[in-house]
Amino acid sequence: MLRTLEGRAQLTVVALWVAAVASIADAYAHVNRLRIVQDAVNTQVGDVAIAVPDSVIGRADDYVTITLVLSVVCLLAVAALWLPWQHAAHRRLADRLDGRVAEPRSGLLAWVVPGVNLLAPPLVLAALLRAGGRGAAALLAGWWVAWLAAIALAIVGTANPDSLADQRLPDGLAMIGDILALAAAVAAIGVVRALTEVAAAAPPGEDRRI
C-alpha cells in the first residue's frame, strides 16, 4: 500500500481522521477539568476545595495528560505518513510536467527548515495544485491558519498556574486549540485528496521511481 501514491494518500487520510478524534478527546478532557476546577473554585475555603476532593482534580489532570500524549502520538504518525505522500505526489507531478515544478526535495525542506516551515508548506502545496490545474487557495489558507493557531493555543494550554482559579484560562484556550486542530485535520484531508487527484493523472508506474 505504501508503494503507491494512492495507498500513501489513504493511510495519511486515516491518520488525519484518528488525529481529529484525538483532538475531540483532548477537548473533552479540558472541558471536564474546566468544569471540575470551576466547582472547586466555587466551594474553595482557603486552599481547600470543600466539594471537590484532590483525587478528583488529580484524575482530571491525568485525563488531560493522556489525551495530550495521544494527540502528540497521532501528530507524529500523521507527519510520518504525510511526508512520503507529499513527496510521492510532488515526484509524480514533477515527472509529468517535465521540470515545470520545483524538485520534490524542496517540498520536504519547506517542512523541516526552522522559520521557513511557518509559511512555506502551504505555498509549496498551492504551487503544486496550480501546476496541476487546480486552485485551492481558500482550503490551504484555512488549513494553515487553523493549524498554526491550534499549535499556539496548545502551547499556552500547557501552562501550570499557581492557583486553581488561574487554571481556567489555559484550559479554555486549549479547548479552543483542540477545536481548531480538528478543523485543521479535516481541511488537511481535503488537501491530501485534492493533490492526490491532481498528481494521479501522471502515467502509471511512476511510483516505482519514488
Side-chain angles (χ1 to χ4, degrees), residues 43-163:
T43 63
Q44 195 170 25
V45 177
D47 293 330
V48 179
I50 303 300
V52 182
D54 289 344
S55 60
V56 173
I57 298 174
R59 284 196 297 271
D61 290 342
D62 291 341
Y63 186 23
V64 168
T65 300
I66 291 170
T67 56
L68 176 61
V69 171
L70 177 62
S71 295
V72 172
V73 170
C74 289
L75 176 60
L76 293 175
V78 168
L81 292 167
W82 181 287
L83 293 178
W85 159 77
Q86 181 179 317
H87 188 270
H90 199 150
R91 170 60 65 190
R92 182 80 73 86
L93 275 171
D95 289 342
R96 179 161 66 91
L97 299 178
D98 192 24
R100 282 178 284 168
V101 296
E103 283 296 314
R105 62 174 171 267
S106 65
L108 301 182
L109 289 174
W111 283 101
V112 300
V113 177
V116 173
N117 55 14
L118 292 177
L119 185 60
L123 297 179
V124 169
L125 293 170
L128 292 175
L129 287 168
R130 284 197 305 272
R134 183 163 181 174
L139 176 63
L140 288 166
W143 161 58
W144 198 246
V145 169
W147 171 237
L148 291 182
I151 292 176
L153 291 174
I155 293 172
V156 174
T158 60
N160 187 21
D162 295 329
S163 68

Side-chain angles (χ1 to χ4, degrees), residues 163-187:
S163 68
L164 277 176
D166 292 338
Q167 180 62 55
R168 291 173 293 184
L169 179 59
D171 275 330
L173 293 176
M175 178 190 66
I176 296 172
D178 286 323
I179 294 172
L180 289 171
L182 170 61
V186 173

